[in-house]
Amino acid sequence: MDGLMDIGLLVYTLCAITSLACAVLLLRAYRRARQRLLLWSGLCFCGLALNNVLLVVDTRFAPASDLSMVRTLPALVGVSLLLYGFIWDADA
């Protein structure tokens, strides 16, 4: 059981690192190109990275408590920002 927990923790950590790398690359590209879709996508990945970090905290450091509502909020905000960006840029 402990081996499965370690593999899960490894996968969650790799997801957090990947999301953070995507956010950094997208926001750097936005700084150069000033394309708003890059900004919205970067902000979405910031929310997803925070969601993954909170998932690691929830499963590893606070397994007795349920942080599912707290960790879902950053993902919801991030995806909402991306959806807003799609709609806002469609009008421009």
Side-chain angles (χ1 to χ4, degrees):
M1 185 69 178
D2 196 32
L4 288 177
M5 183 76 162
D6 290 340
I7 290 174
L9 180 64
L10 177 67
V11 169
Y12 299 149
T13 303
L14 289 174
C15 288
I17 292 170
T18 303
S19 299
L20 185 61
C22 288
V24 168
L25 291 173
L26 285 166
L27 291 175
R28 283 180 55 193
Y30 168 72
R31 198 172 62 187
R32 261 186 274 127
R34 295 292 178 193
Q35 295 290 322
R36 286 186 291 190
L37 187 57
L38 292 171
L39 173 66
W40 299 120
S41 298
L43 292 175
C44 176
F45 273 97
C46 286
L48 295 176
L50 184 58
N51 178 332
N52 287 319
V53 168
L54 290 174
L55 181 61
V56 170
V57 169
D58 188 17
T59 58
R60 181 63 177 186
F61 301 110
S65 61
D66 184 19
L67 299 177
S68 61
M69 292 299 290
V70 173
R71 73 176 190 238
T72 304
L73 189 61
L76 178 65
V77 170
V79 172
S80 297
L81 285 172
L82 183 61
L83 183 61
Y84 177 77
F86 281 147
I87 294 169
W88 190 42
D89 281 342
D91 290 340

